[in-house]
Amino acid sequence: MDAHRFVCRHSLPRLLAALALLLTTLVVPIAHQQVLAQDATNIRFAFWGDTAEQAAYQSVVDAFEIAHPNIDVTVDYTPGQGDYYRKIASDFAAGDAPDVYLTNYRQFGQYAGAGGLAPIQSYLDTSTQLSESDYYGLSLDAFRFGGDNELYCLPQNISSLVVYYNEDMFAAAGVPLPVDGWNWDTFVAAAQALTQDTDGDGTIDQYGVVVEPSMYRMVSFIWGADGEVVDDLDHPTTLTIDSPAAIDGLSKFISLGVDGYNVVPPEAEVAAESDQDRFMRGGAGMYIQSRRPVPTLREIEGFDWNVVSLPTLNQPATVLHSDAFCMAASAENQDAVWTFIEFAGSAQGQTLLAETGRTVPSMISVSESDVFLKGIPASASSGTPGASPEAVEALPPANSQVYLDNIENMHRLPSISTWVEIEDAFNAEFDRSFYIEGFDVQAAAEAATANSQDAFDRASQCPGGKCLKPRIPFNRGGF
């Protein structure tokens, strides 16, 4: 009995101490969470896209907030591309820029040139999660700016122009399915065979190809014909689209319209229905675009479709399509903004976006994964316990490899501060080139060159940037 009393008497203080410790472990985390909630950093992330893209970026935000509960991300979503870029320009002009926003490499220079963006080079250099070697070099180079050639934005993708095609329509017309490396003549022959009056009323209702007659679509054909778009990629001073080679490439592209093979829809029909909608309903056999429409095209149920490289002229060529996460110079907590950019650009973030089909991941390892190449969710990858990737049906396009093969034939456009204005000058001369009989390609090229010269001159006066104001862009062929 005495021994039992001794144990109980001496155990009571120990029990009370243990209870106190337990209460401490329960209360402190709750108090800590309250402090975190009070001290949470808020950042604003702006982007645009269709509903599939909206869901993809929201999934990135949700995953980030779970990993970083002390940083709250406010989503600033705009559905339409034109409305989005107008909003971004207005926000910057009003001093209310988003902390981080998504933009393409042809647009970001005007904001970097005006001092509106903060470079991320030092963040990436010191990151323990990412390094430049993780990414395709061309996608990084597209977002360098200024005399120091600093990296300003972290690219999420390295897409390019390809030809989407309706396999069923090719078969019905007796046209062999295209293969990568096909030439211009084969492409034109296919487009002609696919252009049909299917109901016999004397009016064409099925077109061979749909594509926007904009600079961003035409430059691939300039390079393919051995031409150049500017005199110097890194320090351009003028357009060079009036050279014989460039005129040859432009003329071939424009020959798809009324002044040539007439395999594209007329202007009134283009105004009434988007190229993507026409392709999806079976009104066109081919559709020239980047990777961007894949999430929506995967909704097609009426026919099978795939992708193939652009037709080759003298040499294979395509144009870089890349957008990136950029940090506003006005962001109050740039460390928090970088933490978000670092996460979005990581393997986890890029995998989430690749699962939608929207991007060609700029991170090499993700681009070579089944998530991108086959459309297989990361949860079904071989690295997940119990997963069976063989049991998961691959999603179209079956030839996603073409986007990676395109990288060696890929060209980029300059990222100077006035590039948006230069594209506007070009498009003002060429945007109706499909619809005008007797269109003078040489005269249009010379006019675009002359009318864009002032923009080149102003950019060259600010080689390091930070002396220009962003303008609201015209925005043709943004992605």
Side-chain angles (χ1 to χ4, degrees):
M1 178 67 67
D2 291 339
H4 176 70
R5 288 173 180 169
F6 178 83
V7 171
C8 290
R9 186 169 59 250
H10 286 272
S11 297
L12 183 60
R14 295 177 184 174
L15 179 60
L16 292 174
L19 287 172
L21 179 61
L22 177 62
L23 288 173
T24 300
T25 59
L26 292 174
V27 173
V28 169
I30 294 174
H32 181 60
Q33 291 174 8
Q34 292 173 340
V35 171
L36 285 178
Q38 294 172 355
D39 296 342
T41 298
N42 292 284
I43 63 174
R44 183 168 128 234
F45 168 42
F47 63 93
W48 74 279
D50 59 24
T51 54
E53 292 172 276
Q54 180 187 19
Y57 291 115
Q58 185 63 58
S59 69
V60 172
V61 169
D62 293 343
F64 171 78
E65 290 184 331
I66 291 173
H68 301 275
N70 60 325
I71 303 176
D72 292 331
V73 180
T74 299
V75 169
D76 186 356
Y77 166 67
T78 304
Q81 177 190 0
D83 290 340
Y84 173 71
Y85 279 114
R86 282 187 286 273
K87 180 181 183 302
I88 290 297
S90 298
D91 285 353
F92 270 90
D96 187 32
D99 299 301
V100 55
Y101 78 109
L102 200 66
T103 190
N104 68 60
Y105 72 99
R106 296 148 40 244
Q107 297 273 358
F108 96 98
Q110 61 181 324
Y111 298 98
L117 301 183
I120 63 165
Q121 186 71 64
S122 61
Y123 281 108
L124 183 57
D125 289 344
T126 58
S127 173
T128 60
Q129 308 297 318
L130 309 175
S131 69
E132 288 199 15
S133 62
D134 294 331
Y135 301 88
Y136 291 102
L138 183 64
S139 65
L140 294 174
D141 291 344
F143 290 95
R144 300 187 190 279
F145 189 85
D148 295 333
N149 207 32
E150 280 193 294
L151 185 67
Y152 269 74
C153 310
L154 191 65
Q156 68 163 356
N157 65 337
I158 183 167
S159 185
S160 55
L161 277 187
V162 295
V163 179
Y164 294 82
Y165 63 94
N166 181 326
E167 292 184 346
D168 296 3
M169 194 178 292
F170 269 72
V175 179
L177 295 181
V179 295
D180 293 334
W182 59 332
N183 61 34
W184 175 256
D185 291 339
T186 304
F187 166 75
V188 168
Q192 289 178 305
L194 296 169
T195 302
Q196 299 178 10
D197 170 16
T198 60
D199 57 12
D201 66 353
T203 301
I204 294 174
D205 47 39
Q206 175 181 293
Y207 295 91
V209 62
V210 285
V211 59
E212 183 182 65
S214 67
M215 185 178 196
Y216 208 20
R217 301 294 179 255
M218 296 188 193
V219 290
S220 295
F221 296 87
I222 292 176
W223 291 314
D226 297 327
E228 293 292 344
V229 178
V230 293
D231 58 340
D232 185 308
L233 180 60
D234 294 319
H235 305 286
T237 64
T238 187
L239 289 175
T240 56
I241 59 172
D242 56 353
S243 70
I247 294 297
D248 179 46
L250 289 169
S251 297
K252 281 186 168 62
F253 182 93
I254 293 166
S255 71
L256 299 174
V258 296
D259 208 29
Y261 303 107
N262 202 23
V263 293
V264 297
E267 190 170 19
E269 292 191 29
V270 171
E273 183 178 36
S274 72
D275 290 347
Q276 182 170 300
D277 287 346
R278 187 180 303 277
F279 178 76
M280 291 184 68
R281 71 166 175 82
M286 294 180 285
Y287 174 34
I288 298 179
Q289 246 289 9
S290 68
R291 177 77 181 191
R292 186 179 169 269
V294 166
T296 305
L297 297 187
R298 283 177 174 172
E299 299 172 4
I300 294 173
E301 297 180 352
F303 60 87
D304 293 328
W305 59 275
N306 206 345
V307 293
V308 67
S309 64
L310 289 180
T312 299
L313 303 184
N314 297 342
Q315 62 176 329
T318 189
V319 63
L320 170 69
H321 282 243
S322 185
D323 38 20
F325 299 94
C326 300
M327 181 192 303
S330 60
E332 292 184 2
N333 193 327
Q334 294 187 358
D335 289 347
V337 175
W338 166 251
T339 301
F340 175 74
I341 292 175
E342 185 179 47
F343 179 88
S346 69
Q348 181 179 355
Q350 292 217 358
T351 297
L352 287 169
L353 293 174
E355 283 185 324
T356 70
R358 159 68 173 87
T359 62
V360 180
S362 59
M363 179 170 277
I364 298 170
S365 60
V366 181
S367 75
E368 295 174 344
S369 70
D370 283 348
V371 173
F372 169 69
L373 292 174
K374 298 181 180 179
I376 295 176
S379 59
S381 69
S382 57
T384 304
S388 177
E390 294 78 10
V392 179
E393 183 178 357
L395 296 176
N399 188 28
S400 284
Q401 181 64 43
V402 70
Y403 300 96
L404 304 188
D405 293 343
N406 273 347
I407 293 174
E408 66 176 344
N409 304 315
M410 198 177 290
H411 300 250
R412 67 178 175 89
L413 292 165
S415 302
I416 60 174
S417 57
T418 58
W419 186 255
V420 170
E421 298 176 57
I422 293 163
E423 285 200 21
D424 286 356
F426 180 102
N427 290 331
E429 301 299 327
F430 283 92
D431 66 351
R432 298 191 65 243
S433 56
F434 277 163
Y435 319 117
I436 300 175
E437 293 186 11
F439 184 82
D440 192 332
V441 179
Q442 184 74 45
E446 291 173 357
T449 300
N451 295 338
S452 63
Q453 195 56 54
D454 177 67
F456 278 108
D457 293 343
R458 282 184 284 112
S460 66
Q461 292 167 7
C462 304
K466 302 185 179 178
C467 61
L468 299 166
K469 293 183 179 179
R471 62 184 293 277
I472 298 177
F474 180 68
N475 285 312
R476 290 294 302 270
F479 276 75

